[in-house]
Amino acid sequence: MTGTLKATVIYPVANSLVEARDSNFIFGSVGSGKAQLWINGAPVAVAPNGAFLAWLPVPAVDSPRYDIVAVSGADTARLEQPVRLKPPIVKLATDGSLLYDTASVLPGSRLALRDDDTVRVSVRTAPNASVVWRGDAGAAQALTAAGTSFAADMPARMLRARTELLLARGSDTIHVAVPPVGVALARQWATLGVDSAGADASDEELIGRPIPGGTYKWFLLPGTPLEVTGRNGDFSRVRLDSNLEIWVSTADLHALPGSWLPAKRVAGNARLVSQAEWVDLVVPMAARPPYFVDESTNELTVTLYDTMINTDIVNYGANDSLVREAKWTQDASDRGHFTLSLSQPAYGYLAFWQNGSFVLRVRRPPRIDASSPLRGLTIAIDPGHPPIGATGPTGLYEAVPTLAIGLDVQQMLESRGAKVFLTRTTADPVALGDRPIMARKANANALVSIHLNALPDGINPFTSNGTGAYYFRSQSVPLARELQRAMVSRMGLRNLGINYDNLRLARPTWMPAVLCEGAFLMIPEQENALRTPEFQKLYAAAIVDGLESYFRSLSAR
Ligand SMILES: [Zn+2]
């Protein structure tokens, strides 16, 4: 392409913060494939369509910008792209004046914990300094050094008042205030989320995390009463049972009156209720339990926290082809679990509360005709974005090819006898959180989300691009493997493997759900290919191949 010479930077956006400290990528276009390009003095390759992608040292602190010079014949185009840089890392030298890293001081503010909770008190300073914590009435404790890190674990009760760290080296001293740790009162109860029941309630994500701001591990029922035992910033610690405390968003909690008494959860006689499309395990008890469902190949296990199981009878109803056996175990005085042995691998489930019972609804896999595996199935296809999404060097916005690919998938699936539910068919935005709900309401047999990948700052795109698939539930692993295999085979890009990842479109439980990142929009050749119907059809055909082999594998069982 020999268009007009004009330098455009797509990324990093002007005046944005570059998160990397050593090297980072920059990409955009110079408008002409014939141009020569230099960025901060380094020569950069220009693709035939004028796109460029460079991996360069992060600009110097005293000149935080990219100077772009493109030359074509007698024409020169210049662009100055200013960026912001992270503050330099504090050098904690063994001489000069004593310094410490102000961002390293722990504990942080807005903590509330029990007296006997352990709190890490720490700071980074020069390795030849000494650090002593000092409290009221002469209380003191030396922090243990490991290089530049100094730390001590102390009970929260010692940190109720404003205390300090005394950093010293020779006559050089620094006093650093330690934020006081607030009190977590005993027997504070709250419900998580707003009381709602039935299978639809499973659409609300009430997330439990192993640490404040951490990953998503537990998904609890709206209206579950929980004891609140601590706070850290915007997160609250809640007790699931005597051996497990997790963190939830404080905004999700609704305080119960101080006089409120928790119901004792005792699981009564259970039953299996068979329907054409699913089997319900129904476990009556006095209040919604915190729970965790674990899928393994031919089993579903549901752990019930703060629950004593006293199930004398499990009624199986009519002889069921899916659930071979339901059994239960009490693991501790306030934790038990039910295990469902299945005749086939776990395929989908919903956990919800209904009429005074905890219900685990186990979905039957669809009946598959091996010669036409997709016939009669409903497949939800989610063309990724808008809102947000990546943009390539010449301005191709992720949501444009994902929709074109999604429409190709629809046409190919329909020609194989499947029904297709698309989460969007236009350029209008659809909220991320609505998409999995739409797929469940469509009763889809599988959900595939179509995306194009981008990298975070500081990762070399030349060595890290390719094709990946993302799952979150164990039941989605076989579909993720089939989609990945088909994408690599059809599109011929580097195989980045499948990934367990906490993504909204990978989290549904009612069907196998996989998010595909088939190619990288920031790579000039891949962006260019993604503009073509031919490559879009390769991506689409790969999704269809992957779905077809996955469902064919179900017919063999
Ligand atoms: Zn995306």
Side-chain angles (χ1 to χ4, degrees), residues 297-316:
T297 308
N298 278 38
E299 244 173 39
L300 276 177
T301 302
V302 56
T303 297
L304 303 171
Y305 302 103
D306 193 32
T307 300
M308 184 61 88
I309 302 179
N310 185 39
T311 299
D312 196 32
I313 295 170
V314 180
N315 176 261
Y316 284 59

Side-chain angles (χ1 to χ4, degrees), residues 385 389-390 398 451-452 517:
H385 314 283
E398 184 177 354
H451 284 256
L452 298 163
E517 298 274 13

Side-chain angles (χ1 to χ4, degrees), residues 47 73 121 144 194 206 235 248 270 279 349 412 464-465 528 546:
V121 178
T144 307
V194 179
L206 293 162
F235 294 92
V248 299
V279 187
Y349 67 87
M412 293 177 196
S464 305
N465 74 83
N528 198 40

